[in-house]
Amino acid sequence: TEILAKIRWVCYTENMMDLSGFSGKRICAAVSGGADSMALLHMLKAREDKDGFFLSAVNCEHGIRGADSLGDTRFVAEICALWGVPLFTFSADCPAEAKEKKLSLETAAREFRYRSFQSLLDEGKTDFVATAHHSDDNAETILFRLCRGTSLSGLRGIEPLRGGFLRPLLDWTKEELEAYVKRENVPFREDETNFETEATRNKLRLEILPSLERAVPAAKENLIRFARLAVEDDKLLYRLSDGFVEETSPEFFGDTGLRVKVSGDAPLMRRACLAALKRLGIERDYTAAGLDELRALGELQTGSRLPLPNGLTAERVYDKIVFFRTEERALSSAWKGEPFREGTFTVGRYAVTVSAVSVGKEKIKSRALWLGSDGVSVDGEKIQSRTLWLDADAVPATAVFRRRREGDSFEKFGGGRKTLKKYLVNKKIPEAVRAELPVLADEHGEVYAVCGVEIAERVRVTPDTVRVVCITIKNKR
């Protein structure tokens, strides 16, 4: 009753975020009992009826300060009861968690808080969790990230609204909040650990930022302005990098269909690679160094590869970086093959069709010198449209349709023997496509047809051919 008598509910909150758009929503204030969070709770209580939202509070007891920490929790519970604010409470042994997970105490406590907040959101107990972060916290966060070597993307600072987290006080300074609690008679408890400089963030707050302000007046304000401009630049670079990310139909077994076009513009290339990783579900398991390695893959020769998290591999294929699932690709290479015969059957991502062709002797004689394919040019993109004709009786009984293997040899239609790999490279067919392209070959590595590309000289149709077959392929995906 004594506390309530001192409270002035007609408070001045003009610097607070406009909450009129949250009418009908549930806002849960994160309250430690300190001056900042108690100011937040007081302001939200004063605005609850006017803006039409429903207020609750949450307190997290970290198990760090013993009786003092428990006293803070009791204090918050008493105030919430007096002010008619429903309260959620969580407790944990953060020192033990920090030791077990090999984290700093500061990090373990933060993880516990946000784990607790997220549980309220996930369980539908609130729509938003509001925290008391202010402009000094924002400047501190930006400086901390700069010192840690962040990129432009990391300079985003603390956002007013992100997901289910709301920060209504970002336009307030610490000094203004202290004046507010004094003017409005808002009760609070002091946390002595806030003045200990062992924690990195405390050192920045208590020593570094004040020194900066003394050396360069308005340093905190300028840090926040710099971050705001950096975010604008970063958004523009991300928009420009969107054009370097492509999604196509998978071209081989295990292919994700995701491509990044190689560019000499490192800022755009880096962002395109990051966008690709996120689309592949790699949200956190990458480092700045790993991202640079992925970008640098675009500077290496075709065929160069880089292992990625989540069982993925990136490969440079001519002017693009291709992403595929490593295990699926490996399993596909162990496949033995389909015997040569008439019919339709599956070879990896392709449906192969072998059909008998009724061709009269006179027609064979007139076309014998060139009858091998339909004449469509091959550039790696038109493989599916190319039909091959060959002499079925010239194919040995041991021949099967399979994927290319190391050591395969090919004497192309018209003469000229090469390794199959070199032949396909000369045709400018991407390695990822080469790996999945069905070939007709025997157990010794002699290739009689590269489906969609060309037949071997020894199976061409001649005036003596009795059975002519045609081979077509179709991408199933």
Side-chain angles (χ1 to χ4, degrees):
T1 304
E2 184 179 347
I3 292 174
L4 285 173
K6 295 180 179 179
I7 295 294
R8 293 196 301 155
W9 291 111
V10 183
C11 57
Y12 304 96
T13 57
E14 61 275 8
N15 286 357
M16 190 177 179
M17 176 193 291
D18 179 12
L19 297 175
S20 58
F22 292 82
S23 178
K25 299 295 184 181
R26 296 165 300 169
I27 299 177
C28 184
V31 184
S32 65
D36 299 343
S37 65
M38 288 303 297
L40 172 68
L41 183 64
H42 181 269
M43 291 182 193
L44 289 174
K45 181 62 180 176
R47 296 275 292 270
E48 181 180 18
D49 292 337
K50 176 183 176 182
D51 291 329
F53 57 83
F54 301 98
L55 179 64
S56 62
V58 55
N59 174 261
C60 296
E61 197 277 302
H62 303 85
I64 296 176
R65 294 165 41 243
D68 286 341
S69 182
L70 293 171
D72 290 346
T73 296
R74 284 194 300 271
F75 168 74
V76 171
E78 289 170 3
I79 293 296
C80 286
L82 285 170
W83 292 0
V85 179
L87 176 67
F88 301 101
T89 58
F90 295 88
S91 62
D93 186 347
C94 288
E97 284 189 19
K99 185 176 181 180
E100 179 185 350
K101 297 179 181 179
K102 295 181 172 56
L103 301 172
S104 69
L105 188 56
E106 194 177 11
T107 300
R110 183 183 186 281
E111 287 188 358
F112 161 60
R113 286 196 303 276
Y114 277 88
R115 188 167 67 242
S116 303
F117 300 161
Q118 190 63 51
S119 72
L120 294 176
L121 295 168
D122 293 343
E123 293 169 15
K125 294 178 179 177
T126 188
D127 298 309
F128 299 95
V129 173
T131 64
H133 290 97
H134 46 73
S135 66
D136 289 42
D137 292 322
N138 206 6
E140 173 194 315
T141 297
I142 293 162
L143 181 60
F144 180 69
R145 291 178 179 175
L146 277 171
C147 294
R148 292 280 297 269
T150 188
S151 63
L152 282 184
S153 299
L155 287 177
R156 190 173 298 275
I158 303 173
E159 297 179 78
L161 178 62
R162 187 172 187 181
F165 293 95
L166 184 64
R167 281 83 180 215
L169 303 182
L170 285 181
D171 289 335
W172 288 67
T173 66
K174 176 66 174 176
E175 185 178 1
E176 288 171 335
L177 285 173
E178 289 174 347
Y180 178 91
V181 296
K182 184 176 181 180
R183 182 179 72 239
E184 306 297 331
N185 294 316
V186 178
F188 66 91
R189 280 171 64 94
E190 201 69 74
D191 181 349
E192 296 83 1
T193 60
N194 288 335
F195 301 100
E196 296 173 358
T197 58
E198 286 79 4
T200 304
R201 299 295 287 257
N202 281 5
K203 189 180 290 290
L204 285 174
R205 183 184 307 117
L206 300 173
E207 297 180 359
I208 307 301
L209 275 173
S211 295
L212 273 177
E213 281 287 316
R214 287 192 295 271
V216 183
K220 288 185 286 190
E221 181 181 339
N222 290 334
L223 277 170
I224 294 171
R225 178 177 178 276
F226 166 69
R228 185 173 65 250
L229 295 175
V231 167
E232 291 176 3
D233 292 347
D234 193 45
K235 287 180 179 177
L236 174 60
L237 289 171
Y238 268 109
R239 285 200 301 273
L240 294 174
S241 71
D242 284 344
F244 291 85
V245 183
E246 303 173 0
E247 288 195 55
T248 66
S249 297
E251 295 183 350
F252 55 91
F253 199 76
D255 183 13
T256 65
L258 205 60
R259 308 284 186 266
V260 170
K261 188 175 181 180
V262 172
S263 168
D265 295 320
L268 299 181
M269 183 71 177
R270 188 180 295 111
R271 285 167 173 78
C273 288
L274 180 57
L277 291 178
K278 289 184 176 180
R279 290 192 199 183
L280 292 168
I282 305 174
E283 292 282 350
R284 296 171 181 249
D285 296 332
Y286 64 85
T287 62
L291 193 59
D292 275 335
E293 286 182 351
L294 182 56
R295 178 199 60 78
L297 188 62
E299 300 171 1
L300 303 179
Q301 65 182 10
T302 289
S304 300
R305 295 180 179 180
L306 179 70
L308 299 173
N310 296 0
L312 292 159
T313 295
E315 180 174 351
R316 167 75 187 270
V317 180
Y318 296 110
D319 65 339
K320 294 177 183 176
I321 292 177
V322 173
F323 298 85
F324 62 87
R325 303 195 183 283
T326 317
E327 186 175 347
E328 292 180 18
R329 178 81 170 268
L331 287 173
S332 72
S333 64
W335 179 69
K336 297 296 183 183
E338 290 281 351
F340 174 67
R341 66 189 186 279
E342 290 183 26
T344 299
F345 38 88
T346 298
V347 181
R349 62 182 283 265
Y350 291 102
V352 177
T353 300
V354 180
S355 307
V357 180
S358 178
V359 182
K361 279 287 184 182
E362 293 304 316
K363 195 169 186 179
I364 289 176
K365 287 180 181 179
S366 68
R367 300 175 67 184
L369 294 178
W370 59 271
L371 187 56
S373 67
D374 59 7
V376 176
S377 63
V378 178
D379 60 6
E381 299 294 329
K382 298 180 179 179
I383 288 171
Q384 291 185 76
S385 63
R386 193 169 173 85
T387 301
L388 306 181
W389 286 273
L390 53 82
D391 184 336
D393 295 320
V395 179
T398 58
V400 298
F401 287 102
R402 59 168 172 79
R403 296 179 184 83
R404 176 178 67 84
R405 296 175 184 165
E406 287 299 319
D408 282 348
S409 179
F410 184 57
E411 184 181 3
K412 67 184 181 67
F413 180 79
R417 179 172 290 279
K418 294 181 179 179
T419 64
L420 180 59
K421 180 178 180 179
K422 187 171 183 180
Y423 171 77
L424 294 175
V425 168
N426 290 344
K427 283 286 187 180
K428 299 188 182 303
I429 297 174
E431 198 282 333
V433 177
R434 298 198 303 264
E436 288 294 314
L437 203 58
V439 299
L440 178 62
D442 63 22
E443 70 273 26
H444 304 297
E446 182 69 29
V447 176
Y448 302 96
V450 182
C451 298
V453 182
E454 191 57 272
I455 65 167
E457 172 66 18
R458 66 188 295 174
V459 296
R460 70 182 178 88
V461 176
T462 72
D464 298 321
T465 296
V466 176
R467 288 192 307 134
V468 179
V469 296
C470 71
I471 301 174
T472 58
I473 60 173
K474 183 178 180 181
N475 190 342
K476 300 188 304 173
R477 301 175 190 175

